[in-house]
Amino acid sequence: AQTVTQSQPEMSVQEAETVTLSCTYDTSESDYYLFWYKQPPSRQMILVIRQEAYKQQNATENRFSVNFQKAAKSFSLKISDSQLGDAAMYFCAYRSIMYNNNDMRFGAGTRLTVKP
Amino acid sequence: NAGVMQNPRHLVRRRGQEARLRCSPMKGHSHVYWYRQLPEEGLKFMVYLQKENIIDESGMPKERFSAEFPKEGPSILRIQQVVRGDSAAYFCASSPPGRANTGELFFGEGSRLTVL
């Protein structure tokens, strides 16, 4: 079974600085999706960024980028020029592309605090 | 284009009562997923449904929990004879079928169940 591990329960960053959130996963599959979701105090789960395992190029979305290391099964999220609105819980998630194994597995989350 | 709609947002039940949580997926989405989130934890998969079919219920407790996604109307997660340990946030997510599926799950705002 696939597992997702986020080893940093809490992280803190100064406004306008850069922070990296770590995520590792375990799988025997060769193709899959990886995601970072953000959950602000409103509890809405918001997609931040997605990566397809067959793509070697790291995904980027404005201030958010990932460092995808397939061999190491690592998928870290870098937030540049941090803003107060970035404060939230961040969840790393894995999803198989196989039809009969279609649920998304989440890590335990990292709580990001942004200091003004 | 309305997102995933969940209701009620908050539900309070006494031990032994029944809880019903409803979810309407995004327009055009035929796949529905239910997740449970305990305080300070990530989301745990419960069940995956398509119209009139349960595809994967491997995350559902064997007793008291059931889910359906009828041909007409919302998906319903039903918890019978609730206990205090059922207190959690329950999230519904949907995704489109076939080629429109990019792996991402679209989440509702969640329903918070409190059992007194």
Side-chain angles (χ1 to χ4, degrees), chain B residues 12-82:
Chain B
V12 178
R13 285 288 179 265
R14 296 189 181 280
R15 282 179 294 169
Q17 292 184 319
E18 178 179 287
R20 285 193 179 216
L21 309 177
R22 289 175 289 277
C23 169
S24 295
M26 284 184 70
K27 186 177 181 179
H29 288 194
S30 55
H31 301 217
V32 167
Y33 307 78
W34 285 94
Y35 286 81
R36 177 165 62 178
Q37 185 180 31
L38 297 173
E40 304 304 317
E41 294 188 9
L43 278 69
K44 295 290 194 292
F45 168 75
M46 299 181 75
V47 63
Y48 161 41
L49 311 105
Q50 294 179 22
K51 285 284 188 182
E52 300 184 281
N53 280 304
I54 297 174
I55 307 301
D56 180 358
E57 56 182 347
S58 59
M60 287 276 273
K62 299 299 181 194
E63 298 177 349
R64 301 187 299 106
F65 285 73
S66 63
E68 63 177 6
F69 189 17
K71 185 176 181 181
E72 301 290 338
S75 174
I76 295 174
L77 179 66
R78 181 184 180 201
I79 312 172
Q80 295 178 290
Q81 299 174 343
V82 296

Side-chain angles (χ1 to χ4, degrees), chain A residues 25 29 48 63 76 81 87 99 105:
Chain A
Y25 57 95
E29 298 176 341
V48 175
R63 297 183 295 107
S76 60
D81 186 25
Y99 178 78
R105 302 292 176 103

Side-chain angles (χ1 to χ4, degrees), chain A residues 25 41 56 69 94 97 111:
Chain A
Y25 57 95
Q56 294 186 353
Q69 302 289 328
Y94 170 103
I97 64 170
R111 182 176 301 280

Side-chain angles (χ1 to χ4, degrees), chain A residues 33 35 37 39 42-45 47 50 52 89 91 95 99-100 102-108 111, chain B residues 9 33 35 37 40-43 45 48 50 56 89 91 95 101-105 107-109 112:
Chain A
Y33 300 106
F35 306 86
Y37 277 88
Q39 187 179 42
S42 67
R43 293 192 292 116
Q44 176 81 51
M45 293 288 286
L47 178 70
R50 65 187 290 274
E52 295 166 4
M89 284 290 289
F91 293 98
R95 190 178 187 200
Y99 178 78
N100 63 349
N102 226 350
D103 63 287
M104 187 176 282
R105 302 292 176 103
F106 288 85
R111 182 176 301 280
Chain B
R9 291 292 310 280
Y33 307 78
Y35 286 81
Q37 185 180 31
E40 304 304 317
E41 294 188 9
L43 278 69
F45 168 75
Y48 161 41
Q50 294 179 22
D56 180 358
F91 286 89
S95 67
N101 192 334
T102 58
E104 176 187 354
L105 292 185
F107 284 86
E109 294 183 322
R112 179 169 295 281

Side-chain angles (χ1 to χ4, degrees), chain A residues 3-8 20-26 33-37 66-70 72-78 90-94 105-110:
Chain A
T3 57
V4 179
T5 302
Q6 293 178 248
S7 58
Q8 306 155 315
T20 299
L21 308 184
S22 300
C23 173
T24 59
Y25 57 95
D26 184 29
Y33 300 106
L34 294 166
F35 306 86
W36 278 96
Y37 277 88
V66 297
N67 184 5
F68 174 46
Q69 302 289 328
K70 190 172 184 179
K73 297 179 182 175
S74 171
F75 184 62
S76 60
L77 173 70
K78 185 171 84 171
Y90 285 82
F91 293 98
C92 178
Y94 170 103
R105 302 292 176 103
F106 288 85
T110 297

